[in-house]
């Protein structure tokens, strides 16, 4: 068996297609939508028209045997702009939850509803975090009660930090059915558009990724049919029975989704880091001080060398995790968390150094590295903080119950 990091012709074609869209459509609009702090519906519509925002695109790239399809899409689009990219690709988290845990019938019915059509694009939202349950997924207070008489699930609670929360057409909500079991008694539920009782709470004004809508989702006696528990009620109750008898839950509602998406978060971070590095590299080759290009000074050149090394090292970890996930190789050493941790911290480091290379210019909104620096920080926070990633990795490699 040969080993190669050479991308396939299909991979290269997709990468170049997304890069062209990012360069021609996303990047020119980045500063405007960052200032407006609004969902860039015109850009989402453009992405839908060219086929970039569609269930088919997500499905095709997720099926890439090398596991790199979606990673390349995410890196290139976030190279264009993180806020707009997250508005375009934020539905992917809900889609990943549906694809990873849903029944074939649920996938067929609701995946198209998350994306809509090129003429009428829709959004999906995955809702896990709560005001008192971020990293501590087991502390989720949103409750799902089964109403035997009407054969419905009834949901009550408040979700927070939800990308597309409240404006999505399909919400996938993690709720506790058996609170006494902690995270092992949780399930995910599909809430279609127009269901009474679901509303948007506070919309957050953020440090970065400001073109992406982030808000609370309030659930007040939300009633949905019994078949809208992700994966089906029978499968869920079987899992609960195993837990009660002392067995393993074999995948929890929120964590199973995060395990699938952490490498893609790493790819997002790499896109932002690469954009900042490329801008700083070009700037260092043009800016003159003391009669020389600043890139000729070791103080600057060594920064660029370290930035490039961290980006490429992070990408290798992300690609490895993507390949492992695609080929059903278990993350025995938390390789998905490794990829997310290293890539997210590389993005913070690289964007910070990019500002340093640009000096005062880098600190102003006249230059894009200031925005990239603000955008980069989120990758060390959402879908598991850096501290949680280190906890997951350390538990995996030591086999100990580290707290």
């Amino acid at each position: 068996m040969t080993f190669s990091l050479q991308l396939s012709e299909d991979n290269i074609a997709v990468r170049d297609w997304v890069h062209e869209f990012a360069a021609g459509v996303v990047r020119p609009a980045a500063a405007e939508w960052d200032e407006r702090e609004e969902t860039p519906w015109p850009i989402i519509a453009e992405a839908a028209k060219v086929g970039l925002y569609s269930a088919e695109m997500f499905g095709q790239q997720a099926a890439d045997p090398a596991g790199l399809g979606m990673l390349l899409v995410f890196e290139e689009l976030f190279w264009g702009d993180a806020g707009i990219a997250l508005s375009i690709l934020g539905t992917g988290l809900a889609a990943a939850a549906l694809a990873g845990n849903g029944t074939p019938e649920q996938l067929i019915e609701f995946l198209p509803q998350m994306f809509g059509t090129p003429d009428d694009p829709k959004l999906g939202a995955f809702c896990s975090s709560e005001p008192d349950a971020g990293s501590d997924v087991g502390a989720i207070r949103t409750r799902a009660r089964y109403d035997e008489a009407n054969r419905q699930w009834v949901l009550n609670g408040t979700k927070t930090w939800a990308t597309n929360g409240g404006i999505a057409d399909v919400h996938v909500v993690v709720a506790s059915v058996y609170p006494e079991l902690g995270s092992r008694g949780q399930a995910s539920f599909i809430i279609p558009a127009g269901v009474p009782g679901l509303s948007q709470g506070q919309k957050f004004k953020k440090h970065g990724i400001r073109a992406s809508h982030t808000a609370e989702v309030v659930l007040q006696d939300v009633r949905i049919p019994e078949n809208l528990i992700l994966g089906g009620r029978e499968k869920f109750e079987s899992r609960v029975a195993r837990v009660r008898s002392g067995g393993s839950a074999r995948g929890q509602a929120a964590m199973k989704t995060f395990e699938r998406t952490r490498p893609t978060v790493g790819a997002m971070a790499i896109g932002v880091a690469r954009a900042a590095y490329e801008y700083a590299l070009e700037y260092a080759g043009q800016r003159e001080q003391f009669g020389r290009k600043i890139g000729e000074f070791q103080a600057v050149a060594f920064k660029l060398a370290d930035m490039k090394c961290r980006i490429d090292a992070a990408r290798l970890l992300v690609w490895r995790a993507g390949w492992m996930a695609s080929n059903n190789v278990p993350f025995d050493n938390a390789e998905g968390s490794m990829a997310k941790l290293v890539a997210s911290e590389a993005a913070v480091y690289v964007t910070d150094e990019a500002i340093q290379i640009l000096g005062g210019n880098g600190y102003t909104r006249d230059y894009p590295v200031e925005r990239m620096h603000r955008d980069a920080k989120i990758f060390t926070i959402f879908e598991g903080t850096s501290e949680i990633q280190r906890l997951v990795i350390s538990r995996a490699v030591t086999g100990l119950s580290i707290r």
Side-chain angles (χ1 to χ4, degrees):
M1 180 179 179
T2 59
F3 171 79
S4 174
L5 288 173
Q6 178 64 48
L7 297 177
S8 69
E9 291 184 4
D10 287 343
N11 287 149
I12 294 171
V14 168
R15 180 197 65 190
D16 293 349
W17 169 55
V18 179
H19 183 84
E20 182 179 356
F21 183 86
V25 179
V26 173
R27 185 166 279 191
E32 174 189 351
W33 289 99
D34 178 71
E35 289 289 342
R36 291 174 63 167
E37 296 191 57
E38 298 174 357
T39 301
W41 283 107
I43 311 299
I44 295 173
E46 286 296 316
K49 287 176 182 177
V50 300
L52 179 56
Y53 184 74
S54 68
E56 291 75 18
M57 190 283 293
F58 273 75
Q60 289 169 2
Q61 297 313 310
D64 174 28
L68 302 182
M70 284 308 303
L71 301 180
L72 295 169
V73 170
F74 274 74
E75 179 179 336
E76 294 305 325
L77 209 54
F78 276 74
W79 172 90
D81 176 66
I84 293 176
L86 192 56
S87 287
I88 296 172
L89 298 175
T91 294
L93 186 55
L98 187 63
N101 305 300
T103 65
E105 294 77 16
Q106 290 170 341
L107 197 62
I108 291 170
E109 181 176 0
F110 292 104
L111 193 60
Q113 292 184 34
M114 289 183 179
F115 292 93
T117 66
D119 295 327
D120 186 22
K122 306 294 184 182
L123 298 173
F126 182 72
C127 307
S128 176
S129 293
E130 297 184 3
D132 295 318
S135 298
D136 185 6
V137 176
I140 283 176
R141 294 183 179 179
T142 297
R143 299 289 183 255
R145 174 181 59 84
Y146 187 66
D147 179 354
E148 292 280 359
N150 295 293
R151 302 181 70 176
Q152 293 178 322
W153 292 99
V154 185
L155 280 73
N156 283 281
T158 299
K159 293 296 181 178
T160 193
W161 310 120
T163 298
N164 299 333
I167 65 171
D169 290 88
V170 180
H171 290 77
V172 178
V173 176
V174 180
S176 179
V177 182
Y178 299 105
E180 70 276 12
L181 298 179
S183 59
R184 297 178 298 174
Q186 296 169 0
S188 294
F189 297 86
I190 303 167
I191 304 180
V195 174
L198 185 149
S199 62
Q200 178 186 310
Q202 176 187 4
K203 179 187 175 183
F204 296 103
K205 296 179 72 67
K206 305 187 300 294
H207 177 65
I209 54 167
R210 301 200 302 190
S212 173
H213 176 96
T214 308
E216 291 181 329
V217 175
V218 180
L219 305 123
Q220 294 180 310
D221 290 328
V222 173
R223 289 181 169 269
I224 56 175
E226 65 176 346
N227 66 328
L228 295 191
I229 180 173
L230 208 58
R233 187 184 177 197
E234 182 178 342
K235 182 179 178 181
F236 170 68
E237 295 293 353
S238 175
R239 175 163 64 86
V240 168
R242 286 198 306 272
V243 172
R244 292 193 187 279
S245 64
S248 169
R250 292 212 300 245
Q252 297 155 8
M255 296 313 298
K256 191 170 182 182
T257 297
F258 292 146
E259 287 168 7
R260 292 173 63 89
T261 58
R262 277 174 179 157
T264 62
V265 176
M268 298 177 192
I270 292 168
V272 175
R274 196 184 101 215
Y277 162 75
E278 290 176 359
Y279 197 93
L281 179 65
E282 181 178 2
Y283 185 91
Q286 297 175 350
R287 174 75 166 171
E288 291 190 5
Q289 290 287 281
F290 307 105
R292 300 172 65 181
K293 308 290 186 188
I294 64 171
E296 295 179 36
F297 294 102
Q298 284 189 6
V300 172
F302 283 9
K303 287 182 184 297
L304 292 166
D306 286 341
M307 292 158 74
K308 178 62 172 171
C309 286
R310 295 199 188 198
I311 292 169
D312 283 9
R315 185 183 293 109
L316 287 173
L317 283 174
V318 167
W319 283 14
R320 180 183 69 170
W323 177 87
M324 291 175 70
S326 180
N327 289 275
N328 297 314
V329 178
F331 289 169
D332 290 335
N333 292 297
E335 286 84 355
S337 290
M338 287 186 191
K340 198 265 189 185
L341 171 66
V342 173
S344 62
E345 296 199 343
V348 172
Y349 171 85
V350 170
T351 55
D352 187 67
E353 290 290 71
I355 287 180
Q356 199 68 22
I357 290 172
L358 268 68
N361 286 334
Y363 200 66
T364 70
R365 294 193 180 183
D366 294 330
Y367 290 79
V369 293
E370 179 272 341
R371 184 181 68 254
M372 295 169 187
H373 185 261
R374 287 188 285 108
D375 291 340
K377 185 58 187 173
I378 192 60
F379 301 117
T380 67
I381 298 171
F382 71 1
E383 292 198 48
T385 64
S386 289
E387 291 74 19
I388 288 296
Q389 306 308 324
R390 288 185 167 89
L391 184 64
V392 171
I393 296 164
S394 62
R395 285 175 175 174
V397 298
T398 66
L400 302 175
S401 181
I402 298 169
R403 296 184 179 274

